[in-house]
Amino acid sequence: MSARLASGVMVSALIRRVNAEGGSAMVLAKGDAEAGAVLILALERGQNPRFFERAMGPTGHIALLASGPIDPGDAAEVLDYWQRRRSRDPDLWVVELDIAQAERFAAETMGLS
């Protein structure tokens, strides 16, 4: 059994890393500090929104997987998606990362690389 980093600590580390690299990162919704799932909203210069989260991958290993709308066309659709998820899971963290290669930052920080 391996110890898993607390969600609040992981989110804080991710935000610090992204900000240190010149990006922007913020918590849109705060979840359970110990074991809340983390939903990443990745952007690049405010464009091309994509969602990712830590989940069981097709190989049976934990990975950062795409989730959410296939083609989120507008800000209202993006907002609606994460708010619906949050209404079903109040322990869910929602974190916005606006930086090139946001998926890489998230995977590395979450120990998935």
Side-chain angles (χ1 to χ4, degrees):
M1 174 183 237
S2 64
R4 183 173 164 185
L5 192 58
S7 299
V9 173
M10 185 171 32
V11 166
S12 292
L14 181 57
I15 289 171
R16 282 193 309 276
R17 283 193 67 213
V18 169
N19 288 330
E21 291 294 322
S24 171
M26 69 182 84
V27 174
L28 300 176
K30 187 175 180 180
D32 182 75
E34 294 299 317
V38 179
L39 178 66
I40 304 291
L41 169 56
L43 302 163
E44 191 167 344
R45 297 183 184 208
Q47 301 296 311
N48 191 25
R50 308 116 18 246
F51 287 99
F52 296 91
E53 60 189 304
R54 186 177 182 198
M56 185 71 65
T59 62
H61 294 95
I62 299 295
L64 197 61
L65 301 178
S67 67
I70 303 282
D71 186 21
D74 60 36
E77 187 176 355
V78 169
L79 182 64
D80 183 56
Y81 174 73
W82 74 256
Q83 287 183 338
R84 275 186 287 122
R85 288 283 310 274
R86 177 89 169 134
S87 71
R88 291 189 302 261
D89 181 3
D91 292 335
L92 179 70
W93 289 82
V94 182
V95 181
E96 179 182 293
L97 306 179
D98 193 339
I99 191 168
Q101 301 180 357
E103 298 86 2
R104 178 181 60 85
F105 278 93
E108 289 173 359
T109 306
M110 296 173 144
L112 303 173
S113 58

